[in-house]
Amino acid sequence: MTRLKLIRAPLKYVQGKGALLNFYEEIKDLGSSFLFICSKSGYRSCHKKIEKSFEGTECKLHFKIFNGISSNGEIEKMRKIVKEEQIEVVVGIGGGSALDTAKATAYYEKLPVAIIPSITATDAPCTGLSVIYHDDGAFDTYLFYPKNPEAVIVDSQIIADAPVKFLIAGMGDALGTYFEARACMRTNSPSLENGGISLSAMALCELCYKTLLKCGYQAKLSCEKHLVTPALDAIIEANTYLSGVGADNGGLAVAHSVYNGFTALQECEKTMHGSLVAFGTIAQLILESAPKQEIKEVMDFCYSVGLPITLKEIGVTDGERVRIAAQKACIQGETIHHMAGGVTWEQLYDALLTADLLGQQYFIS
């Protein structure tokens, strides 16, 4: 049976310098009592603008700093606050874990959720899923939702004022979007929403990649000096909306399996998600026998913005450890199996080492 095409996205996406000063106007129809689930840095950077947007209203605001992990226990804690405070709208402020906690809390309490990213390190803000952990920090499950967030509000100045490493990591996560979706479309594999891949989804994925190439380096320079420029705004949109909606509706392949594989290694525990996805994208292109020019284009981009192109840059110096990561990346159920013809761990191992050899040439020359 032909897979039905499907595309989903947030109900509303708002982005721009000072966008949080308009937060109330954008979400006032959702309710009048709000629980803001915040990371520490997210609270510091956002709460004053949010409170100012509510001036003159009778809305009830409750800010709560979460413990840093989107764990089952933390979600239960937030659900208890929702009940006790008679909350009508849940809002996530911060990075991926804070946003995932907010989405899960809203889902279980059957409430609308709004998202305010304070960094753009991943495409989590726009997606209809959360990564859930056990209370000890061990991975538990992916929680998929019947809908995407009601609103995603991105203040470009907040992103510009955040450390540039988060913007770079977000570009790494976004880099895999087009190539993974392209691989899934070739094999009629499902998107993250378990639907067929539409032309609209592929257009977003391709635009995401083209935007990275066009604006990535300049956006990095702007962010380093906390400047909001058209290039930075374009990359914020690529990292957040184009990558998020693109991945949700385009699917995953090698790049994210490589991330999952390397997270099994202790030396990669502090390596950012997007850095591993970027290196995994290069490995995917090698597995696909992509044209030499396409591989070079991707590696040139990575080198220009500071994404890793060698194993050493992601924290791995032992080839035997790469073997472990490759085996982990190829277990049953991993998205690497969306590739045409299938991929064995031995093939992935060889591709990862080849990517490393190509990357080393940049530092030799």
Side-chain angles (χ1 to χ4, degrees), residues 179-201:
F179 298 105
E180 291 188 285
R182 184 178 72 178
C184 289
M185 197 168 200
R186 285 171 176 168
T187 57
N188 194 31
S189 297
S191 69
L192 282 175
E193 298 298 345
N194 202 35
I197 301 170
S198 68
L199 295 176
S200 299

Side-chain angles (χ1 to χ4, degrees), residues 166-221:
F166 295 118
L167 186 82
I168 294 170
M171 286 193 276
D173 194 21
L175 180 61
T177 304
Y178 169 64
F179 298 105
E180 291 188 285
R182 184 178 72 178
C184 289
M185 197 168 200
R186 285 171 176 168
T187 57
N188 194 31
S189 297
S191 69
L192 282 175
E193 298 298 345
N194 202 35
I197 301 170
S198 68
L199 295 176
S200 299
M202 283 306 302
L204 291 175
C205 293
E206 186 171 8
L207 179 59
C208 181
Y209 178 56
K210 290 180 176 178
T211 302
L212 293 175
L213 295 183
K214 179 182 178 182
C215 302
Y217 179 67
Q218 185 182 325
K220 174 195 171 186
L221 297 180

Side-chain angles (χ1 to χ4, degrees), residues 10-167:
L11 189 62
K12 177 184 288 190
Y13 180 85
V14 180
Q15 178 190 314
K17 187 172 183 177
L20 285 187
L21 295 173
N22 206 43
F23 180 77
Y24 169 71
E25 286 298 319
E26 298 295 348
I27 52 78
K28 62 184 179 182
D29 294 333
L30 298 180
S32 59
S33 59
F34 298 79
L35 170 62
F36 295 88
I37 300 175
C38 316
S39 66
K40 291 179 181 178
S41 60
Y43 175 78
R44 286 196 303 268
S45 62
C46 297
H47 83 277
K48 288 183 179 179
K49 286 185 175 181
I50 292 169
E51 289 171 343
K52 187 172 180 61
S53 80
F54 280 93
E55 286 181 356
T57 75
E58 296 181 358
C59 293
K60 176 182 173 184
L61 312 184
H62 187 110
F63 290 89
K64 181 67 177 178
I65 307 295
F66 90 124
N67 76 350
I69 302 175
S70 51
S71 65
N72 295 300
E74 194 67 11
I75 293 165
E76 287 304 312
K77 187 189 304 181
M78 298 302 167
R79 292 182 66 187
K80 184 178 179 182
I81 294 174
V82 167
K83 294 181 177 73
E84 291 175 348
E85 301 292 330
Q86 296 182 311
I87 297 296
E88 296 175 354
V89 185
V90 178
V91 184
I93 304 177
S97 289
L99 308 185
D100 282 350
T101 302
K103 285 190 273 189
T105 301
Y107 169 69
Y108 286 125
E109 293 302 316
K110 297 180 174 56
L111 295 175
V113 63
I115 298 296
I116 302 172
S118 60
I119 57 174
T120 58
T122 71
D123 56 22
C126 290
T127 62
L129 65 92
S130 289
V131 184
I132 307 298
Y133 297 89
H134 294 291
D135 293 338
D136 63 2
F139 172 77
D140 180 10
T141 187
Y142 290 104
L143 182 58
F144 292 89
Y145 305 119
K147 59 185 178 65
N148 295 56
E150 272 73 16
V152 177
I153 315 293
V154 191
D155 192 315
S156 302
Q157 189 64 60
I158 298 293
I159 305 304
D161 289 338
V164 70
K165 67 179 182 179
F166 295 118
L167 186 82

